Every structure is written in C-alpha cells, then in structure tokens.
Amino acid sequence: MSQRQQPPQSKPFSIVVIGGGIGGLCLALGLIRRGVPVQVYEQASEFGEIGQGVAFGPNSSRAMKLVDPAIQEAFIRLATHAAEEGSEGIGRTWINFRYGGDNTDMIAKIQTFDSNLTGLSSVHRARFMEELVKLVPEGIANFNKRFVSMKRLESGEIEVSFADGSTATADAVIGCDGIRSKVRQALLNRKSAEDDLSFSGTVAYRAIIPMEKAKEALGEGFAVNAQMFLAPGGHVLCYPIDHGKTVNVIASVNKGESWDHDGWVIKDAKYDDMKRDFVGWCDEVQSVISMIKDHTPDKWALFDTLPLPTFYKGNVALLGDSAHATLPHQGSGAGQAVEDALIMAEVLADVNTKTAADIPLAFKAYDAIRRPRSQKVVKTSRQAGEMYNFQGPYGHDLSKLRDDALSRFHWIWYEDMEVQTQRATSMLGDVIARL
C-alpha cells in the first residue's frame, strides 16, 4: 500500500467498491483523488490478477491520465511497445495481421497515429496491478471479503454482507467483481452469476514464453513485434511483454463446440489437443505451438456478457467486466474498465452530486454514457473474432478483411475522453436542474 496522502474528503457520502481488479482499483484511485470516501472489498487475500499480458490503446492511456496521472505514469513505465514504427515516425504498429495457413503473407499492418505513438502498448497484468496497489493509501483495502448479499436499510444506506460473516455499510455500492459478478446477480435478480454470459464457441490456449525461444520459433523480426496469424477456424496472437523479455501467446480456435466444464480455465491443458487444433498451419505457428508445450499452457473458454438492460439500479452500479465483459479480439476490454472508472469518478465527484440522494442520478448519467459505447465494444469484439477465423461475412476474402481491419479500431482508439466526461457531467447537471 501507498504512503500517498489522501486529499480532503469533499462529499458527505461513502462508496463501497466490490472487487479489486484493474477496474476496481482505477475507480478507487479516481474517487480518492477527487475526495470521495471509498472502501474496496476484495475476496482474495491480496490484490492480484489472473491472466498474462494485457494491451491498452490510445483511449485507455488518455483515460488513465484523467483518472489519476499516477496510473498513466505506472503504465508508461511498464509498457512494452512493438519494435516497428511507421514511416517518418508518424505511426506505431499495433498488430501485423498475417495469413497463418501455408504462408505468412501480410494481410494488414495496423498502426496507431496518436501523438504518443501508442502502438501495441502491453503490460504484464500482475506487474501493472503491483503498481496500482502501490498507489492505494493505507486503510482503503479490505481483503478476504467475498460478497454474499446486500440490502437497503431504513436509513437509505446499503448493507453488504460477506462470507466471513462481516458487513459493511455505505451510501452506494459499485460492483467491479468481474465477469461472473455476484453484485450483478443480486442487482438484476438473476438465479446465477452466469445467467448473463454467452460462450463464444472459442477456446484459447495461453502461455508466456521467453523471448529467445520466440525468436527461434518466429525469427527476430516477427518475435519483437505483435503478430496475428489468421486461418480458417482460428487465430494465433503473439506479442512482447515485460520490456521484451517474454512473449505472450494466445492461440484461439473456434470449432462451434459447447463448454461443459465447471470452470472457464483448464490449467495445464493437454498438448496433444492443442497440437491437433493447429494441424496444417504455417511453420511459424507450428513452432510456437511446440514451444508452448514446455510452458504450461492454460486453456480458456472465452465468454462475453449479453447486453444488460441497465448498469445501475438505485444506489448500486456495475463497472468493467461485471457490466460488459468482452472477448479479447480488439484488445479493448481492460481499457473500457478504465473509461468506466473515469466517468464514474467524475459524476460522483461532480458539483451536482451533493448528497447520497443524488447518487442514482449520477449513476443514470454514467449508464447513459457508458452503456452504449461499452456494449458496442462487446458486439464488435465478437464480430472481430469471427472475422479473424474466416467465419464472418467476408469469409476468406483477404481484401475485404484487410479493409475492415485497417479501420476497425479507430472509433475505439480516438474517442475524446474529455468530451465523453463533459457529456456525462452535463447530462447530470441537466437532469438535476429539471428536478
């Protein structure tokens, strides 16, 4: 935890955040910076993240700075960039889309053209979480607190109950507890935390391999830059993390099968199954698959969230994956959680949010701004996966696929985060003015 001093608290209400992942911690840091009292309750014994590499686009970096400049500073310190830059330094490579069948011909070079030359800026999830934790002041985090239920008290406050028998009381609760959100289940009165989830049909083998091994498999030019190999029924993504020390590999395949396992991650997946799924792919992919064998690959079932009718009810709201878990095919899921954190922190800290009675109106503005954009990311990410697997409307037409890929990410990356914030606070002000 950090020795950072908390700014004076400027609001007469308190917020409970359930879940201490990237979204939950960014929200907490944004609220702390704006003087909004907050406590974070995490079910694990310490903050941490499952998964491996995570990428952030230009929009995400801008949102981090607006939430709390220290978040962006931590991201910049950790970020690994593609080695390639565009002509005359005006762009930086995000991903090279290549055919992955019997050759590795370039389909499309996707680049960012923002002023910071963001390109594919990737970090190791655990390292990034470690840096976020350092920013959290003492006395904010509460561990071993697994959410069970919540109820509204006569005072108007919300009492949250945890599995250890303890409770917490606050004026509002924000669920940042991931794709299988118990807060979402309670908020929307679902029978199961999985009721709003949809299996994509895709499974992904994930592993991290040393850069030297990756260079042997792919060649140095391929290994130090992000490559996406596409072929019928699947795609394989490789990109450097940890300042180029390692390469994150995600080998995805969609065979239209159901997922019948209790969990969504199978540790130490069977190598023979993985090898069978990529028979006939190019030599580079075959080499990568062979190297994954020695680095304990996990097999992940890829789910996303069905469109929710709302991200809030009363003084309870959802943020990040609990509201809009997305498939990884546009590299935008974590970034959407950061955008959520920015808008949520701004509307709760806004001058128009004076008392706890105003919180539902702040949540309403958050929902109106964030739900359409984040649900569009979910929808288009699923479509992107289908396109990468040649299962979309373009089929095997590489020319149409190229045209789509070259423009697909722009509406995500070049969102004006200041304008998005202004829209939310203006909407909140208009609603309150009409009361």
Side-chain angles (χ1 to χ4, degrees):
M1 297 297 151
S2 172
Q3 298 302 315
R4 295 172 92 196
Q5 296 298 312
Q6 294 189 52
Q9 294 183 345
S10 61
K11 295 294 183 179
F13 53 76
S14 59
I15 307 295
V16 157
V17 172
I18 305 296
I22 290 175
L25 288 188
C26 284
L27 173 61
L29 292 169
L31 293 175
I32 291 165
R33 181 167 177 258
R34 290 160 176 80
V36 179
V38 62
Q39 289 285 305
V40 179
Y41 292 84
E42 165 59 39
Q43 68 175 355
S45 59
E46 60 183 6
F47 290 127
E49 273 279 359
I50 61 173
Q52 290 138 349
V54 59
F56 291 99
N59 58 305
S60 310
S61 180
R62 291 193 299 274
M64 290 176 193
K65 183 177 182 179
L66 294 171
V67 174
D68 184 335
I71 298 175
Q72 188 194 49
E73 291 165 7
F75 166 66
I76 291 172
R77 285 196 303 273
L78 294 175
T80 301
H81 299 286
E84 295 177 351
E85 289 192 12
S87 58
E88 300 178 1
I90 62 172
R92 175 168 270 167
T93 300
W94 173 260
I95 290 176
N96 293 318
F97 283 83
R98 298 181 179 276
Y99 187 60
D102 55 3
N103 62 65
T104 59
D105 289 349
M106 181 78 78
I107 297 173
K109 178 184 290 294
I110 311 303
Q111 294 182 309
T112 66
F113 295 97
D114 59 303
S115 60
N116 293 326
L117 295 178
T118 302
L120 185 74
S121 296
S122 57
V123 295
H124 193 293
R125 282 181 180 267
R127 309 286 184 272
F128 188 49
M129 281 294 296
E130 289 169 2
E131 293 302 308
L132 293 183
V133 170
K134 292 177 184 177
L135 300 175
V136 178
E138 293 287 346
I140 298 296
N142 305 269
F143 298 104
N144 298 305
K145 299 296 181 182
R146 182 167 61 83
F147 175 91
V148 174
S149 64
M150 57 186 169
K151 64 180 180 181
R152 193 175 187 89
L153 304 177
E154 291 185 6
S155 64
E157 294 176 303
I158 299 172
E159 182 181 83
V160 177
S161 297
F162 300 102
D164 64 359
S166 65
T167 61
T169 303
D171 294 295
V173 173
I174 302 175
C176 304
D177 51 337
I179 185 170
R180 286 162 176 78
S181 169
K182 292 293 186 180
V183 177
R184 182 183 67 234
Q185 179 185 351
L187 178 70
L188 300 179
N189 196 28
R190 305 303 197 216
K191 292 182 179 179
S192 165
E194 299 191 6
D195 282 355
D196 292 293
L197 304 185
S198 174
F199 178 50
S200 65
T202 296
V203 296
Y205 299 95
R206 307 183 66 165
I208 294 176
I209 60 178
M211 177 59 78
E212 286 68 27
K213 294 290 185 182
K215 289 178 179 179
E216 292 177 16
L218 296 169
E220 182 164 356
F222 278 15
V224 297
N225 291 286
Q227 314 292 340
M228 176 90 82
F229 300 94
L230 314 181
H235 56 279
V236 178
L237 173 63
C238 308
Y239 61 90
I241 57 175
D242 271 349
H243 294 300
K245 296 176 184 176
T246 57
V247 172
N248 193 40
V249 178
I250 308 171
S252 302
V253 61
N254 187 319
K255 297 186 291 186
E257 299 175 349
S258 61
W259 183 260
D260 301 321
H261 304 276
D262 291 336
W264 64 96
V265 180
I266 298 176
K267 306 293 288 185
D268 301 331
K270 295 180 180 178
Y271 172 70
D272 288 342
D273 291 345
M274 179 173 59
K275 185 176 181 181
R276 190 181 307 116
D277 285 337
F278 294 94
V279 168
W281 286 56
C282 63
D283 291 343
E284 288 80 359
V285 168
Q286 296 294 333
S287 296
V288 168
I289 296 299
S290 296
M291 289 187 175
I292 289 178
K293 177 182 180 180
D294 300 324
H295 298 280
T296 58
D298 299 333
K299 184 177 181 180
W300 292 59
L302 301 187
F303 288 80
D304 57 12
T305 306
L306 296 170
L308 302 184
T310 182
F311 285 178
Y312 85 103
K313 284 185 180 180
N315 283 39
V316 180
L318 304 172
L319 184 148
D321 281 355
S322 68
H324 48 74
T326 183
L327 301 175
H329 308 310
Q330 294 181 136
S332 299
Q336 287 304 293
V338 180
E339 287 190 19
D340 285 353
L342 170 61
I343 302 304
M344 182 65 83
E346 285 288 318
V347 294
L348 287 174
D350 190 76
V351 64
N352 289 297
T353 310
K354 296 181 175 66
T355 70
D358 298 322
I359 291 176
L361 301 177
F363 285 171
K364 182 177 182 179
Y366 161 81
D367 177 75
I369 296 299
R370 292 300 307 146
R371 186 156 52 90
R373 175 169 164 82
S374 60
Q375 289 183 342
K376 183 179 178 181
V377 170
V378 174
K379 179 180 179 180
T380 56
S381 292
R382 183 174 278 246
Q383 292 169 346
E386 294 167 355
M387 181 182 76
Y388 301 162
N389 298 345
F390 298 170
Q391 295 167 333
Y394 311 133
H396 292 63
D397 190 328
L398 299 186
S399 177
K400 290 182 177 179
L401 194 153
R402 174 184 180 276
D403 291 343
D404 185 300
L406 286 172
S407 62
R408 167 167 290 274
F409 304 92
H410 291 181
W411 71 274
I412 302 175
W413 290 344
Y414 304 126
E415 172 80 354
D416 190 321
M417 296 309 305
E418 289 87 350
V419 169
Q420 189 180 141
T421 299
Q422 291 166 6
R423 287 175 56 216
T425 54
S426 295
M427 183 177 296
L428 172 60
D430 290 345
V431 170
I432 289 181
R434 291 196 297 268
L435 293 179

